[in-house]
Amino acid sequence: MPPAPTAYDVVDLIRAKRDGGRLAPDEIDWLISAYTAGDIAEEQMSALAMAILLRGMRREEISRWTQAMIDSGERLDFSGLTRSDGSRRLTTDKHSTGGVGDKITLPLAPLVASFGVPVPQLSGRGLGHTGGTLDKLESIAGWRASLSNEEMMTQLDGVGAVICAAGSGLAPADKKLYALRDVTGTVEAIPLIASSIMSKKIAEGTDALVLDVKVGSGAFMKTREDADELARTMVALGTDAGVATTALITRMDAPLGLTAGNAIEVEESLDVLSGGGPPDVVELTVELAREMLAAVGVTDVDPAQALQDGRAMDTWRQMISAQGGDPDAALPQAAHSHTITAGVSGTVTRLDAMSVGLSAWRLGAGRARKEDPVQAGAGVRMHAKPGDTIRAGDPLFTLLTDEETRFERAASALEGAVDVDAEGGPVEIPNLVLDRISAEDIAAGPAAQG
């Protein structure tokens, strides 16, 4: 990134934002450039991040902040992907804000690609109670997450889908700022969350982006108000950057599907690609596929049919093989299991996503620090979801791990996670997709407070 022509006094900029002022475009460019270069002290950027948390930013500020983070590194270019007639093949991608049992990327990328639309999916690893897509895929023998830009392009051109790790060259400013926010109590700043996500996604070079913004106990956004604000902010950022962007707001009070872990979520994804799988996972996969396809002008197809007729599975197998994986290899299994049974009979009315995610993490499926290893076979199988009828003594959860000493703490995380109505009355299950937000919906007002 070329240096901004003017240097500023960072303390003046901190004061300006602290007092509710707006940062000018040149000030933002200088801030991000100087911070990335190490010319702004961590304590100064910490103070500015806290001021942003408390005072917010206007849409134009967040857009410029995001662009400055993009400009701190490289930007991928997929314009070389063409059809036989020489016309461009538009790419489309999805980003989820994370949840429990959220294995949607695994069936979704090959499903969309099976219609001839390239999907460059740069994914991450799990931290805390939310699982990481790369961790799940690494449970497949031989599969590798790291690809060069040339390998990505070749795979997109041939297979149509790639799920891999983002290179260090994409938005390096974000990597530095993300680490700072994590230790300064500013992770919750919506302008910084939005710019962090979107700087990487825009730098990825996709033509269209669909956002899955989750809300509920197992999501980062606990309230509908915060989820709406984050979704609108990110749609505005994508739109301002010329990326066709929409967002779905989806429930994350209960886990998605019946598994939370790594290999067991791959197993469940294969069920979906085989035309089966849990209804909620199928529903969200198909809804997101429709959005991704529509964003690049493909509207006369039925994604649900592609799960039934094997096209999506064919693309999955090609995608896994292209990255060194063996799609026929047996998935790892945990060495030990422990079953938790129901104490009463009735209808399940609540299953807390956060409790399940915490239990899976304690079993070894997740990590507390980025450098921690994960167990491929660890996790939680769920045997009942809200709306299901159970009897006392029926299995509720099966806990899986390679280390038996983990069972006690993992089981304690599930105490109180399930509510059962002993009278067995009907349970009203809210819609999985709560809202859709498009560029038109956010055109009239500011994207965030400030």
Side-chain angles (χ1 to χ4, degrees), residues 151-170:
E151 287 174 319
M152 278 187 65
M153 183 66 79
T154 299
Q155 187 168 326
L156 280 174
D157 192 34
V159 177
V162 59
I163 304 174
C164 64
S168 59
L170 291 182

Side-chain angles (χ1 to χ4, degrees), residues 92-96 108 206 208-212 243-248 287-293 295:
T92 186
D93 188 15
K94 183 270 297 185
H95 177 80
S96 167
L108 179 63
T206 189
L209 176 64
V210 177
L211 301 161
D212 179 4
V243 178
T245 308
T246 58
L248 298 184
E287 285 297 317
L288 287 166
R290 289 194 178 112
E291 285 288 334
M292 291 171 69
L293 290 164

Side-chain angles (χ1 to χ4, degrees), residues 93-442:
D93 188 15
K94 183 270 297 185
H95 177 80
S96 167
T97 56
V100 179
D102 183 9
K103 71 277 297 171
I104 300 298
T105 291
L106 278 63
L108 179 63
L111 171 59
V112 173
S114 71
F115 292 99
V117 176
V119 182
Q121 179 77 52
L122 301 187
S123 296
R125 303 188 184 280
L127 193 63
H129 77 282
T130 59
T133 298
L134 300 183
D135 298 322
K136 296 165 191 176
L137 286 167
E138 284 180 336
S139 64
I140 299 172
W143 187 87
R144 61 190 180 98
S146 297
L147 300 180
S148 68
N149 291 350
E150 292 75 20
E151 287 174 319
M152 278 187 65
M153 183 66 79
T154 299
Q155 187 168 326
L156 280 174
D157 192 34
V159 177
V162 59
I163 304 174
C164 64
S168 59
L170 291 182
D174 173 66
K175 183 177 181 181
K176 189 173 182 181
L177 184 57
Y178 187 93
L180 180 76
R181 288 166 51 217
D182 197 39
V183 297
T184 57
T186 54
V187 168
E188 295 82 1
I190 285 179
L192 299 181
I193 298 170
S195 60
S196 174
I197 292 170
M198 294 302 290
S199 63
K200 295 191 288 286
K201 282 297 174 183
I202 296 168
E204 177 189 296
T206 189
D207 295 293
L209 176 64
V210 177
L211 301 161
D212 179 4
V213 180
K214 299 195 177 297
V215 60
S217 73
F220 188 66
M221 295 290 124
K222 305 299 183 187
T223 69
R224 181 65 185 274
E225 180 182 10
D226 284 346
D228 283 352
E229 184 181 343
L230 178 59
R232 288 174 176 273
T233 302
M234 291 195 294
V235 169
L237 289 174
T239 301
D240 290 348
V243 178
T245 308
T246 58
L248 298 184
I249 297 178
T250 66
R251 284 193 303 110
M252 185 37 72
D253 288 313
L256 273 168
L258 294 168
T259 60
N262 294 309
I264 57 176
E265 289 196 46
V266 174
E267 178 187 302
E268 193 166 79
S269 299
L270 291 171
D271 289 342
V272 174
L273 287 164
S274 299
D280 56 348
V281 178
V282 175
E283 177 188 348
L284 188 53
T285 300
V286 170
E287 285 297 317
L288 287 166
R290 289 194 178 112
E291 285 288 334
M292 291 171 69
L293 290 164
V296 292
V298 180
T299 57
D300 57 346
V301 297
D302 181 9
Q305 183 59 38
L307 292 175
Q308 298 295 323
D309 64 22
R311 281 177 290 168
M313 177 65 88
D314 289 344
T315 305
W316 161 270
R317 293 178 61 84
Q318 295 170 32
M319 180 183 74
I320 296 302
S321 296
Q323 290 174 241
D326 181 357
D328 295 314
L331 292 165
Q333 295 187 358
H336 306 284
S337 66
H338 171 73
T339 300
I340 297 174
T341 58
V344 296
S345 301
T347 302
V348 177
T349 59
R350 182 182 68 93
L351 173 58
D352 182 60
M354 176 61 84
S355 300
V356 173
L358 181 58
S359 181
W361 172 57
R362 289 179 175 178
L363 288 165
R367 53 174 64 82
R369 301 170 301 172
K370 289 183 179 179
E371 61 270 22
D372 291 345
V374 296
Q375 294 181 27
V380 178
R381 289 190 185 275
M382 293 154 269
H383 300 286
K385 296 279 289 285
D388 292 342
T389 299
I390 58 170
R391 294 176 299 176
D394 284 350
L396 277 180
F397 304 103
T398 299
L399 310 186
L400 304 166
T401 184
D402 291 334
E403 304 168 56
E404 287 184 281
T405 55
R406 291 178 176 264
F407 281 136
E408 184 176 355
R409 290 188 70 239
S412 69
L414 294 169
E415 293 176 4
V418 179
D419 287 344
V420 177
D421 178 4
E423 301 198 0
V427 177
E428 183 176 348
I429 308 298
N431 291 334
L432 182 58
V433 179
L434 301 174
D435 200 3
R436 177 183 185 275
I437 295 173
S438 66
E440 292 73 23
D441 295 321
I442 53 89

